[in-house]
Amino acid sequence: MPYRYLQPLAEQLAAFGQPVAILDLETTGGHLERDRITEIAFLRFENGAVSAVEQLVNPQIPISRFVAELTGISDDTVAGAPTLSQCLPQILPQLRGSLLIAHNSRFDYTMLQQECRRHGFAFGAPALCSVQLSRKLYPQQRKHSLDSIIERHQINVRGRHRALADVEALAQYLQAALAEHGAERWQNTAESLLNPQRLPAGISTALRDDLSAFGDGYGVSVWYGHDGAVGAVHSHRQAFRETVRLLHRQPDAVARLQFLPAAGSLHSHALRIALLAEHRLPPPEENTGCHSIEWFAGAPAGSLKARVRPLLSGWREHAPTGVFKHPKAAKRSLQQWAQDSGLCPTLLGILPHTLPAGAPCPAALAGGCSPACARQDFDLHERSARRALPALPRGIWPAAGRLRIRETDPVSGRSAVMVCDSGALLTDNGRWYTDAALLAAFQEAFKQRGPHLEIESDNDQAA
């Protein structure tokens, strides 16, 4: 056994209750979106056995001279190597369901996760950062780079900046720290740094298998109950990690899980809403915390009136008329719009107080109101109000009417198109849906507009 010297570490890692992979990537650089993997290596620990995987990868982009000199991996080195899309079908089955340990795991994990997404593979896993572990176990030390750790523990390295050599050095460090601090402290410290934390005890093998198929980007998790029916649907930014955290709060609420990837935040909510409708699940909450303007036929018969009402979660036949964070803001906007449009506030029913029966319109007494008010012509009032509707303020919604939004995943290039208006999404059944989570996603998206979010008016289609 070539890694017999790591047997004490192998026995300790078994305490995690799942396979462990000590991982390192070599890349064309440190930019998570622009750079690519050139080599992947890991030591896999399972049931006391240790196996090694080492694979050069053709990144399909040039390797800079600096990186080539640092790692020894040049364009010529990887010219005959397989691409990552060719490697992943063999590599991912050995990583799925494992705990990943890496030095600065945020970089290695994020790079691997995004590269998988780029090539159409879902991947998510718990991770342990050995930099953080070093800081916890050796707080008296100022430096925690791999070079510093190698020097501190006098570790023999057969070639720095090659992936498997760095993995072997990291494994020797983990074993040295285990010997110095003892199994209990080492394990407790490592457990405290897991991201996300270990799955709850008693989680079934079926659920573990379902989770191993999750990606850790945007998407939805579909929760099946013990009766086989869908009991809940959640939208996610980091699907794997967020689902594990939800399982800790609801460990007995699910028998199986399913993951559906999304192009981005808005698309993840669109998928969630479509599944809510398909499985006839209720909206997540009654009130969105916002308000909108509601139109209705009041008295006298046929008189079009307006009022400000809480914007409730769920489906509706028409998009809301604006979306306002506070009712006072909605009322002020409504009153200003009526004044600017020459509409009668009394006929609209938007006076700040209720008039006695038969009392004249205060606006008319103050110097004149609309022709509809003077004649008490309710048909004219309604026609005038409807003509003025496009000018009605929309509150926090950034457009006067429908928007067609194309959201694109900058990593995979996958895109989705959604039609939206005043915080609501047009669903496949022709109805509109809104809730607090969707409203928050809209607000975040409009703040962070970029090439991944194309927004254009859809009012022609609305007409």
Side-chain angles (χ1 to χ4, degrees):
M1 176 181 172
Y3 293 103
R4 189 176 301 278
Y5 69 93
L6 292 176
Q7 196 59 37
L9 178 63
E11 293 173 2
Q12 185 62 44
L13 294 178
F16 287 109
Q18 65 185 115
V20 175
I22 302 177
L23 172 80
D24 185 64
L25 305 177
E26 297 302 330
T27 65
T28 59
H31 194 285
L32 288 169
E33 293 183 8
R34 186 171 56 242
D35 287 303
R36 301 290 185 266
I37 293 172
T38 58
E39 188 176 40
I40 181 170
F42 53 91
L43 290 178
R44 191 173 190 272
F45 296 76
E46 185 175 18
N47 299 324
V50 186
S51 58
V53 172
E54 182 180 26
Q55 179 65 61
L56 281 168
V57 178
N58 187 335
Q60 299 181 289
I61 64 172
I63 300 172
S64 70
R65 181 177 178 181
F66 171 79
V67 171
E69 291 177 350
L70 178 69
T71 65
I73 301 173
S74 66
D75 291 334
D76 290 340
T77 310
V78 298
T83 65
L84 191 62
S85 60
Q86 294 170 324
C87 298
L88 287 174
Q90 290 74 47
I91 289 174
L92 284 184
Q94 301 181 73
L95 291 176
R96 285 192 172 120
S98 300
L99 163 65
L100 301 188
I101 301 178
H103 213 62
N104 187 16
S105 63
R106 182 177 180 180
F107 175 81
D108 291 85
Y109 178 81
T110 305
M111 175 64 80
L112 179 59
Q113 190 267 330
Q114 292 203 157
E115 283 274 65
C116 287
R117 207 163 95 216
R118 182 174 288 111
H119 293 283
F121 295 88
F123 178 71
L128 170 63
C129 179
S130 51
V131 174
Q132 295 179 14
L133 183 64
S134 178
R135 287 173 179 156
K136 287 282 188 178
L137 293 177
Y138 300 93
Q140 73 280 10
Q141 299 293 333
R142 188 169 63 88
K143 296 180 180 180
H144 300 274
S145 67
L146 189 56
D147 284 327
S148 299
I149 285 172
I150 288 170
E151 182 180 353
R152 181 199 311 164
H153 293 280
Q154 298 182 336
I155 294 169
N156 292 321
V157 184
R158 61 186 177 95
R160 273 289 278 125
H161 299 297
R162 287 303 297 266
L164 187 57
D166 287 356
V167 163
E168 291 170 346
L170 183 53
Q172 291 179 64
Y173 151 66
L174 293 172
Q175 184 160 277
L178 173 64
E180 289 182 21
H181 294 279
E184 183 176 1
R185 185 183 176 198
W186 190 98
Q187 187 68 29
N188 289 341
T189 305
E191 292 269 3
S192 72
L193 296 171
L194 293 184
N195 184 19
Q197 65 190 111
R198 208 195 311 185
L199 283 168
I203 289 292
S204 68
T205 301
L207 272 181
R208 290 178 182 273
D209 290 343
D210 291 343
L211 271 173
S212 71
F214 269 51
D216 211 7
Y218 288 108
V220 297
S221 61
V222 187
W223 295 50
Y224 292 86
H226 296 278
D227 59 356
V230 173
V233 182
H234 300 281
S235 59
H236 301 285
R237 182 184 300 270
Q238 289 183 298
F240 175 83
R241 297 184 184 201
E242 292 170 13
T243 300
V244 171
R245 294 182 189 116
L246 283 172
L247 281 170
H248 276 276
R249 296 202 293 267
Q250 309 170 42
D252 301 319
V254 59
R256 297 300 302 265
L257 287 164
Q258 182 184 9
F259 169 67
L260 299 175
S265 176
L266 289 178
H267 185 216
S268 72
H269 286 285
L271 288 175
R272 171 178 63 87
I273 292 161
L275 288 165
L276 290 178
E278 178 183 346
H279 296 284
R280 299 182 180 180
L281 298 174
E285 55 197 52
E286 184 177 353
N287 198 319
T288 65
C290 292
H291 290 73
S292 67
I293 297 169
E294 179 182 290
W295 298 95
F296 65 101
S303 176
L304 185 67
K305 294 187 179 293
R307 59 189 172 192
V308 174
R309 288 288 183 266
L311 181 57
L312 302 181
S313 296
W315 287 268
R316 62 188 66 240
E317 295 302 321
H318 304 284
T321 305
V323 51
F324 299 83
K325 287 189 174 181
H326 303 289
K328 288 183 179 179
K331 290 176 181 177
R332 284 195 302 268
S333 294
L334 185 59
Q335 289 162 357
Q336 187 63 52
W337 166 78
Q339 180 178 331
D340 294 342
S341 304
L343 298 172
C344 173
T346 303
L347 292 179
L348 281 171
I350 61 172
L351 291 172
H353 53 271
T354 303
L355 291 177
C361 171
L365 292 176
C369 194
S370 70
C373 174
R375 303 175 201 165
Q376 289 295 287
D377 186 335
F378 306 125
D379 288 338
L380 177 59
H381 161 69
E382 181 169 348
R383 290 196 303 272
S384 301
R386 292 194 183 280
R387 280 197 303 269
L389 281 180
L392 185 67
R394 294 303 184 106
I396 62 174
W397 190 250
R402 290 191 189 185
L403 296 176
R404 178 175 292 270
I405 301 176
R406 178 182 293 275
E407 189 172 36
T408 303
D409 180 352
V411 176
S412 69
R414 177 183 183 182
S415 65
V417 176
M418 295 147 284
V419 176
C420 320
D421 191 351
S422 298
L425 177 79
L426 182 61
T427 60
D428 289 341
N429 60 11
R431 303 179 74 195
W432 296 85
Y433 179 93
T434 191
D435 61 27
L438 179 62
L439 283 170
F442 277 129
Q443 289 183 271
E444 180 182 4
F446 294 139
K447 288 179 183 177
Q448 300 177 356
R449 289 193 194 190
H452 68 287
L453 201 68
E454 301 173 37
I455 303 174
E456 61 183 25
S457 172
D458 196 55
N459 285 328
D460 290 341
Q461 288 84 340

